[in-house]
Amino acid sequence: MDSLQEFLDRFGPSSEAESIWLKNFFTFVQEHLSAAACGSAPSAAHQSPAGASWDHRVEQLSVSAVEKIQEKSCLTCGLPVSYRPLSVSELLSQQHLACVSNLSWSTNQHRAWLREAELSLPGQRALPRVNLLLIGWLREGRGGEWRLMDDSGSVRCEMICPSPLWMNRPVFLPHWNYIPHDASGQDQDRGYLEVIGSPVLLCPRAEQGLAASVGGAGLDGAVSVREAAGVLRNRVRGQRVSVWGQVDSVCPLLDVSGSSFFFFSLRDDDHMVPVLVKDSMVWWSRCVCVGLSVCVTALRVCSLRGWRGNNVLTVTHRSLLHTGYTQPHNTQPDNTQQHNIQHDNTHTQPDNTQPDNTQLHTEQHSDSTHEAESVPHTPADHAHPDHHLLMDHEEAEPEEAGPEGAEPEGAEPEEDPVQSAVRIKQSRVISYQGVVTEVVSEGAGLYLMDRKVGLCLAYQPPERRRLRAGDQVELHHVHFLYRPCPDLPPSMLCCCLRSSLRVTAFSRVGGASEDPSCPADGVLPRLLLQHIRGMDQYLWTCHLTSQLAHSLVPVELHHHPPPLPPLPQCVCLLSWKLSETLWTRRQPGPRDIYSEMLDHPHRCPLNQYQVDPSVPQLLSVSDLLQSLRSSCWSSVSLRSLVPQDGSSLSRSEMNSALSWSCRTLSSDPQTGDSLRLRPLLLVGVLQLPSERSEFRQTLQLRDATAAVGCVVTETMEDGGQRASFNTAWIGCLVCVRRFSMVTERFLQSEFPSYQHLDQDRFITHRTCRVYLQFCLDHLVILSPSATMATHLRTMGEESGGEAQRGEEEEEEDDDDDDGDDDGMKKRRRDKEVSSSVTMATHLRRQGEESGGDAQRGEEEEDDDDDGMKKRRRDEEVSSSVTMTMVPGGGASHACVSMLIKVRSKGGVAWRNAGIRTNDGREAGLELGFSVTALVIGPVFSWGRDPKNEPMTEKEAEPEREVEVLLLFSGGSARWFPVLQPGCFYRVTAANAQDPSVLIGCRVRGQSGVEVHSDSTLQVGSDWRFHTLTRPLLLRHTWTQAPPPSVLSVSQVLDCSSEVVTFQGLISERQTLMDGKGQSKDRHSGVRLTVCDQSGRSLCVYVDLSHAPYPPGLLPGNQVLLSGLLRKLSRSGGVYCSLSPVSCVTVTSLYDSCRLAPPPPSPSMHLAKWAASRCVQGQVRGHVVGFLFLQLQWSCSLCGSVYRQVCSSQCGSSSAVFQSSAKLVIDDATAEAHVWLSGKPVQTVLGLADSQWEGLQRALRVRGHIRVFPRGRSLGTEGDSEDVLLHFLLSLCSSDVISQQVSLTCRKLANQSSEEVRRFSRGDRDFLTRMPRPLQLTCVYLETP
């Protein structure tokens, strides 16, 4: 108590509050700083017995601390009783929010600080203020840390540029920030202090003398860098040397094989020496900074293995660091001046970038009461970001960097014509000062400086203190890259192992926001360290990670992640795998860390980078759909949707032409019109359609944001395409590299005429449907499903396949060295992503109840009893065999299965559903279809689902094959997209052991009546279909039955069958309207014009009144039409229509790069065309004459003649101009009559647009005119003195006659081959039979 009383008497408290505060402060020092008594080490203090000596030291420390507190306090007199001392353990356990404490602040100063902090970073909150006092020892921590320690614990300290003299000294911190650990609490040691300014040393200590150490390694014997370079060249064993100079570079602290070390280099004139600091001296890394003058004592010369045997200076256990060192005897002023000039010219940075600050800092270090901040910064330093480039130079001369730093030119991607836009550029090494304005991705090491310059720290080991928004940093020897990644800021700063980053002022706002796209443990930087990649690829991978986190992980799972593996890590691994798959350009060579840090000229992977403006861009499904729908109508003009002669269309013709239109965009801008300027990528899970899907006949691609329908094809072994049939793709997480985006527009309108198309008030309803088209060859499997893994393993794909990577790579990597273990772990984690994504996207198998299973056994015919017994016996024998063949693991669920081969498939249609009493469903309409299949073998029992395991001998009975009709309805109808004729499937009924579940029932017949019907089987909603490809089947299974024959369009036109199955190319599509105009959806059907390679075509009418809308029926796509009815029109033409069992399947997609355009119409001679079956052809000949010409203004509503008003008094105020003519064409083999309408009439008359418009105005009043040039006296209407009539007659009989024309015509159907004609000679008439001229309709006309 005597010590306490002496302590109180020394300060003489003026109030009771001050007295209590002093007592509490003294007690705090006794309890938490007993080891910090002045002049004693912690161990010595604890060994001292309690007594006067100990009390005196505590009193001395308390007095020193209170005096320093009074000096720093903003109060002119008195004690800061509002501040209380806090131990380190209390700080770590009780302070859960980031905060700031400044003893010298007044209230006004704090308010000004708050305003300035929040204005510097809008949207960020300044750190809240606390009144706390921190006192303790500065000690060395693990990994070169500085820690503030008291008796209760220690906390990591971050300081701007600490002095070596502060180590192991008791200090008081007047101004500091505290940043607690993250909210998840995964790393309790992440709480740390940011010491602003300089700590206050509490007890005086005798300064180290400047006497020479043993061996001449003290300050008196310090040599310059020039002399030290000579010592390196002439190594002497046991020699110790002290070197002074200016710090030129500071490399980051590395930890290799448990040993921590870092390099810094000293420069003097044109000489430079590297210094290696390791083990117990690594805390020096916080004390040295570029531009600081230092002196290091007791250095020894050693040879660094792995760096070409070059020598470096290494610290010893007796080495000391003196910062702010000034040479006592300046014997070479001229050389120093020359050094400064040369340094300026080389680096474009003044040698005295911070001479005043450094000198001030050095003087304050020598003072035990040092108080000021070491490196002051003002907002003016960052007012002009363009002036932050302190260094702007290439490290090496061009003639030196060329042969060593650059790789062979033969590997440059510019030589690839496909990547002609890719350029290889050289980075520049500069220095930079700026403010961190955004933490883009802490885990990936990406930040934004001054709101426009990117910063990447991935090539450096991660610092324990991550940068925060608002930090002011200084970068030296950093690489400047321009546009390495189009998704990030164009200006990027990238740090290598020679770069140094120093925080010059700590942020005033809260900690960095959580970034779910890349975890803070740095998955991507670790992958970058294991697999060397260029910075351009790494930056694109980081952006890809953030995109995948948005598209694959729902928002609710960011805060409530599922069990291991963590979703952010899975996303990082997926993005890295996708980047490795898509990135085929040249990669940098292996890294040499010593060369990166020490070589001159500097060489590292950042020296070169690639600039590629066509780097793929990843979109989420929702973003893609939103972009397509938003630009659906804004990107089109209605006038462009009508034919070229749209002004002559009637009201019904025009509205019919506008009712449907299509816009197809390519994912690659090089192959066609695209949504973006860069190639697009999509990542999602392929799945069957759900009951809420817009398209029920196609697969869908789903991510966490949305799902989109997909028309999918795959390549056959012969190179052709077919509809997708392999169910192994279902559940796979894939990346779609190449696809088409289809937007079908549906418009209901009542436009009166062509002139009203710009008035939206005539549009009654419009909508659109969006879906994708792609081939499975353009997919990359990121995470295969279980069935796909089996398929890949069976197919035996090589590891270099584009989309078939999986199992083979893992088996081959088992024999590799230990360095591949990380890669194995990566692949395993990649495969776990599939389940995570499935859960994240809420992938469900929608199903209805199976229904009717109990009745099947009762309805079975007695004739099938023997067959049932045989199947059961076979099933019992095979069950014991197959259950041992199925791999174990996972939950065991008994099931039964059978093998089928699909023979035909009916189309999806809305059908009546009976009342389902078992689940309460009411009667109504539900989707359904039927499949006719051939059962290969018996029903087979399994202990668990065999999925698509290879076929066994017991599953096939070639001698017994039974046809069965599978009925799909409700939830089971989702299997429609993957069931294709000619394919084999294993049908599995889950949770069943009774083989009768898969036995079809026959229709009962009366006695004496033979029933020719197949067994029927109602497919349950929980049944599964697994495709068995050829390698999974027994050889005799797929060779015994030939595939069904498919006709061509020409064969359909020539055959006489009533039901046909054929394949063709869609050349034209037209929407059929129901004409009711009441409902919003008036599209009752579609008329498709299908052709083959010969050019022959026919029309197919698709009725959509009882079926869902089918996607993919677009011009250019190839379709398979199964079970269609072949019919003859009234004119004798052949057309087809759908029956209740018909099915339309898209088998090949239009690709402008792969598929040739439809063949042109064949050139025909008129004489041969009459006997030919060709419908459309090209004819070249001359005009013999006009047989008929009609010009008319017609009412756009009713079609009557319009003479300023409608002649039928319909009330319409709009009219359209229509023209038609009939020509006689001769090509020297025969004559033909050709009908023209619209634009070809103007062309054949040879009238310019202005003349054609004048002719229309002249006819406006009279309404119409008809001209028969070959019979004036008999067929001409109107007055013979009519000027307009004579003008038209002169046009038809002048230059038009005998002019050469080229026409594309369509032959009219059902033409008579002969006609009876009358000839008069004198007073006699002759009747004779003559061939009837060929009747043609002109599609396109061209004149020379």
Side-chain angles (χ1 to χ4, degrees), residues 82 257 482 608 970 1113:
S82 61
S257 301
Y482 189 68
Q608 290 185 348
L1113 302 183

Side-chain angles (χ1 to χ4, degrees), residues 257-316:
S257 301
S259 177
S260 299
F261 65 93
F262 76 95
F263 286 93
F264 70 91
S265 59
L266 299 177
R267 178 180 289 275
D268 181 12
D269 295 341
D270 54 350
H271 294 84
M272 188 170 63
V273 294
V275 179
L276 172 62
V277 184
K278 61 179 182 178
D279 300 333
S280 61
M281 301 297 182
V282 292
W283 57 271
W284 287 7
S285 60
R286 302 294 193 272
C287 302
V288 293
C289 57
V290 176
L292 185 66
S293 296
V294 299
C295 180
V296 188
T297 65
L299 295 173
R300 67 184 180 91
V301 181
C302 68
S303 179
L304 185 64
R305 289 195 302 264
W307 186 47
R308 309 176 194 170
N310 290 344
N311 296 333
V312 296
L313 295 176
T314 309
V315 298
T316 63

Side-chain angles (χ1 to χ4, degrees), residues 337-356:
Q337 182 69 19
Q338 181 181 359
H339 158 66
N340 293 336
I341 297 175
Q342 182 177 358
H343 189 74
D344 293 346
N345 295 336
T346 305
H347 301 280
T348 69
Q349 176 188 10
D351 188 59
N352 55 351
T353 54
Q354 49 181 7
D356 298 335

Side-chain angles (χ1 to χ4, degrees), residues 984-1206:
F984 293 83
Y985 300 89
R986 177 182 281 127
V987 186
T988 303
N991 300 323
Q993 292 181 332
D994 186 6
S996 63
V997 174
L998 296 180
I999 304 299
C1001 60
R1002 293 186 179 275
V1003 179
R1004 293 185 179 272
Q1006 296 180 357
S1007 177
V1009 178
E1010 184 180 0
V1011 180
H1012 297 277
S1013 64
D1014 298 330
S1015 300
T1016 60
L1017 186 61
Q1018 182 69 38
V1019 178
S1021 60
D1022 59 342
W1023 290 14
R1024 299 291 181 266
F1025 289 78
H1026 299 289
T1027 306
L1028 297 183
T1029 55
R1030 180 170 297 184
L1032 298 173
L1033 296 170
L1034 300 177
R1035 182 172 181 83
H1036 64 81
T1037 303
W1038 55 267
T1039 57
Q1040 61 187 356
S1045 59
V1046 178
L1047 304 178
S1048 65
V1049 173
S1050 299
Q1051 292 173 330
V1052 173
L1053 293 173
D1054 299 337
C1055 73
S1056 58
S1057 302
E1058 294 184 357
V1059 180
V1060 293
T1061 297
F1062 63 98
Q1063 194 168 3
L1065 187 71
I1066 301 177
S1067 60
E1068 186 180 350
R1069 167 180 169 149
Q1070 183 177 352
T1071 299
L1072 304 179
M1073 311 292 291
D1074 60 5
K1076 298 179 181 179
Q1078 300 298 327
S1079 63
K1080 292 184 177 181
D1081 192 2
R1082 290 164 32 189
H1083 305 88
S1084 62
V1086 175
R1087 187 185 71 183
L1088 303 176
T1089 301
V1090 183
C1091 65
D1092 57 11
Q1093 293 298 325
S1094 66
R1096 302 181 66 184
S1097 61
L1098 60 81
C1099 293
V1100 177
Y1101 292 86
V1102 181
D1103 185 10
L1104 299 179
S1105 57
H1106 300 289
Y1109 184 81
L1113 302 183
L1114 307 177
N1117 285 353
Q1118 191 168 352
V1119 292
L1120 174 65
L1121 303 111
S1122 305
L1124 268 68
L1125 299 178
R1126 181 183 181 274
K1127 299 181 179 181
L1128 293 177
S1129 64
R1130 296 178 181 177
S1131 60
V1134 178
Y1135 71 96
C1136 293
S1137 63
L1138 268 64
S1139 67
V1141 295
S1142 299
C1143 181
V1144 181
T1145 306
V1146 178
T1147 59
S1148 181
L1149 305 175
Y1150 174 72
D1151 191 339
S1152 58
C1153 296
R1154 182 179 55 85
L1155 296 177
S1161 302
S1163 297
M1164 303 295 295
H1165 292 293
L1166 295 178
K1168 296 181 179 180
W1169 197 356
S1172 174
R1173 296 180 178 178
C1174 183
V1175 177
Q1176 184 169 311
Q1178 295 183 6
V1179 176
R1180 294 181 180 272
H1182 66 275
V1183 179
V1184 176
F1186 275 81
L1187 297 180
F1188 170 78
L1189 174 63
Q1190 175 176 299
L1191 306 177
Q1192 177 177 320
W1193 282 97
S1194 302
C1195 176
S1196 61
L1197 181 61
C1198 64
S1200 302
V1201 177
Y1202 194 93
R1203 300 182 181 92
Q1204 296 184 342
V1205 294
C1206 180

Side-chain angles (χ1 to χ4, degrees), residues 725 898-900 902 978-980 983-987 1026-1027:
F725 67 94
M898 66 178 180
L899 296 181
I900 64 171
V902 176
V978 291
L979 298 180
Q980 306 299 340
C983 298
F984 293 83
Y985 300 89
R986 177 182 281 127
V987 186
H1026 299 289
T1027 306

Side-chain angles (χ1 to χ4, degrees), residues 303-443:
S303 179
L304 185 64
R305 289 195 302 264
W307 186 47
R308 309 176 194 170
N310 290 344
N311 296 333
V312 296
L313 295 176
T314 309
V315 298
T316 63
H317 66 282
R318 293 191 302 175
S319 297
L320 298 176
L321 174 66
H322 300 270
T323 58
Y325 179 81
T326 303
Q327 184 185 8
H329 304 288
N330 191 3
T331 57
Q332 297 179 349
D334 297 337
N335 294 340
T336 304
Q337 182 69 19
Q338 181 181 359
H339 158 66
N340 293 336
I341 297 175
Q342 182 177 358
H343 189 74
D344 293 346
N345 295 336
T346 305
H347 301 280
T348 69
Q349 176 188 10
D351 188 59
N352 55 351
T353 54
Q354 49 181 7
D356 298 335
N357 296 338
T358 303
Q359 185 66 23
L360 176 62
H361 186 51
T362 305
E363 294 173 357
Q364 292 169 344
H365 285 181
S366 61
D367 187 1
S368 61
T369 61
H370 142 128
E371 302 174 357
E373 293 188 18
S374 58
V375 182
H377 286 267
T378 63
D381 296 335
H382 309 283
H384 304 284
D386 295 339
H387 296 282
H388 293 176
L389 297 180
L390 304 180
M391 298 172 63
D392 190 358
H393 72 285
E394 294 184 11
E395 280 277 324
E397 298 295 332
E399 57 271 11
E400 295 178 353
E404 295 185 10
E407 295 191 13
E409 296 181 358
E412 294 185 1
E414 288 95 327
E415 299 181 2
D416 188 351
V418 179
Q419 302 175 355
S420 58
V422 180
R423 293 184 299 159
I424 291 184
K425 300 180 67 175
Q426 299 288 332
S427 64
R428 308 179 71 186
V429 178
I430 64 173
S431 291
Y432 188 88
Q433 291 180 354
V435 179
V436 178
T437 53
E438 180 184 352
V439 179
V440 179
S441 176
E442 181 180 293

Side-chain angles (χ1 to χ4, degrees), residues 760-776:
D760 294 341
R761 60 189 179 93
F762 295 105
I763 299 177
T764 59
H765 179 71
R766 64 183 181 184
T767 184
C768 66
R769 299 177 187 267
V770 178
Y771 57 91
L772 305 180
Q773 295 184 151
F774 56 81
C775 180
L776 293 178

